[in-house]
């Protein structure tokens, strides 16, 4: 077992910080193009550039049967009406699935079949898991008032492809209406924005 | 995504029971040969045949990049001084790793390299994960006073091999001494048993 440096990984349940791992922080400015409302995005960014989420990746081995995982924390907030979200990704090895384990907070997984573009929204909550099949774009969204903490586990050779989503984005958004998450078609939400109505 | 019946799996944090899944229960009688003290085992079984652990397996897909997982609950108790444990297994596909996520209770993962027979004991606790590399026998042990709840995630094609461990068992045991878990060599523990000393 000498090829594995440490078999035990501890993380802080409040911050998601993993002992001995330098996590990646995504700030609002890193998420340009991810939110549906560009005016609200620029207004929010003009005020502040907060950390939206962090991911600490653990990569114990790179053999064929090995697994990697990330501990993620997605902070609460909105841009316009749209809840804070991750960039989302496909796996470079398209067949690779991923299992998300919800640990704290209230989230949603937004899934979109790469080929059929069919959308599915699944709750990401404590005491539950979400299965992301292969060939599926997936994004995490925090629809609650506290940080969303989760673990995502995937085959070591899955790889991350962010480009496809940066190009086309998801067809679906989750927006806050009267304090509750509502699933909407992205185009429909964009048509409803004030700047679209006023020509601003 | 039609090949996956349900992407969301909920489980009861107290019982580990997974919605819509018929779990497997292992009772004390199913664990003959797993504990080091055969006299204590038969005495315990004479009194009662309790459920020692349950595993509810979720198998959403069987493709090359798919993952399977099990939600496990291991109850507190001892046989002689040895804490309640799972049978333990190797993966049929030896290269396959497994990631354990601790959710509740206080456990240990006992790992033994199949080839070198080197033992490693790793804590299995909430807010932490344990990496089980390929080619490694692994067993879960509850060293606390409450049920131990965890999830184990592995490649869909890992497979379970129980035979090798049923033949040779692990070299190491974890026993309760003055209320605390102590790691011992199995042979040494067996030599210390009263029936060995008295010839009973």
């Amino acid at each position: 077992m000498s090829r594995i440096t440490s078999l035990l990984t501890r993380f802080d349940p409040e911050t998601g910080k993993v002992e001995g791992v330098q996590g990646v922080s995504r700030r609002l400015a890193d998420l340009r193009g991810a939110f549906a409302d560009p005016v609200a995005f620029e207004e929010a960014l003009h005020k502040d550039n907060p950390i939206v989420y962090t991911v600490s990746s653990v990569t114990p081995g790179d053999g064929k049967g090995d697994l990697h995982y990330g501990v993620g924390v997605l902070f609460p907030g909105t841009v316009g009406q749209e809840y804070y979200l991750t960039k989302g990704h496909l796996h470079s090895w398209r067949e690779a699935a991923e299992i998300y384990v919800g640990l704290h907070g209230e989230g949603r997984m937004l899934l979109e079949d790469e080929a059929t573009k069919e959308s599915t929204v699944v709750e990401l909550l404590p005491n539950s898991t979400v299965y992301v099949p292969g060939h599926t774009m997936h994004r995490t969204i925090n629809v609650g008032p506290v940080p969303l903490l989760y673990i995502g586990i995937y085959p070591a050779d899955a790889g991350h492809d962010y480009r496809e989503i940066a190009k086309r984005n998801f067809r679906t958004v989750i927006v806050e209406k009267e304090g509750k998450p509502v699933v909407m078609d992205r185009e429909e939400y964009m048509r409803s924005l004030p700047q679209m109505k006023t020509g601003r």
Side-chain angles (χ1 to χ4, degrees), chain A:
Chain A
M1 281 177 277
S2 51
R3 73 193 166 99
I4 309 285
T5 337
S6 171
L7 302 175
L8 172 66
T9 299
R10 297 176 202 266
F11 50 88
D12 183 313
E14 303 296 322
T15 65
K17 205 170 154 38
V18 175
E19 272 180 17
V21 173
Q22 180 67 50
V24 171
S25 295
R26 299 291 182 202
R27 292 183 174 271
L28 191 59
D30 300 318
L31 292 166
R32 179 166 275 120
F35 293 97
D37 185 340
V39 172
F41 178 81
E42 298 302 336
E43 281 176 359
L45 191 57
H46 186 72
K47 284 188 218 148
D48 194 11
N49 185 22
I51 292 174
V52 176
Y53 64 97
T54 66
V55 178
S56 300
S57 299
V58 184
T59 58
D62 287 313
K64 253 301 175 195
D66 277 314
L67 300 167
H68 288 178
Y69 58 106
V71 179
V73 177
L74 176 52
F75 293 96
T78 51
V79 170
Q81 291 172 275
E82 199 176 3
Y83 291 100
Y84 273 11
L85 46 73
T86 62
K87 288 187 180 187
H89 65 277
L90 280 156
H91 294 138
S92 308
W93 176 35
R94 288 293 195 269
E95 283 72 24
E98 184 161 355
I99 289 175
Y100 282 78
V101 180
L103 295 174
H104 186 68
E106 188 188 351
R108 299 287 186 272
M109 294 293 303
L110 174 57
L111 310 183
E112 185 175 314
D113 187 296
E114 187 184 11
T116 67
K117 302 187 178 175
E118 187 194 348
S119 278
T120 309
V121 175
V122 187
E123 291 182 317
L124 181 61
L125 303 169
N127 305 315
S128 66
T129 57
V130 175
Y131 197 77
V132 180
H135 300 278
T136 305
M137 294 161 49
H138 46 291
R139 161 176 284 172
T140 310
I141 299 171
N142 185 347
V143 299
V146 298
L148 176 70
L149 178 69
Y150 57 92
I151 302 183
I153 298 140
Y154 45 93
D157 44 1
H160 287 69
D161 175 352
Y162 296 99
R163 281 179 303 177
E164 191 58 30
I165 291 168
K167 268 191 281 177
R168 74 189 233 187
N169 214 333
F170 288 76
R171 283 178 59 196
T172 300
V173 294
I174 304 186
V175 293
E176 184 176 14
K177 300 231 178 201
E178 296 169 6
K180 284 187 185 161
V182 174
V183 176
M184 279 184 84
D185 185 86
R186 165 182 297 273
E187 297 291 334
E188 185 192 341
Y189 172 61
M190 287 177 79
R191 282 193 300 270
S192 78
L193 296 174
Q195 63 266 30
M196 295 302 291
K197 290 179 178 158
T198 61
R200 173 177 125 183

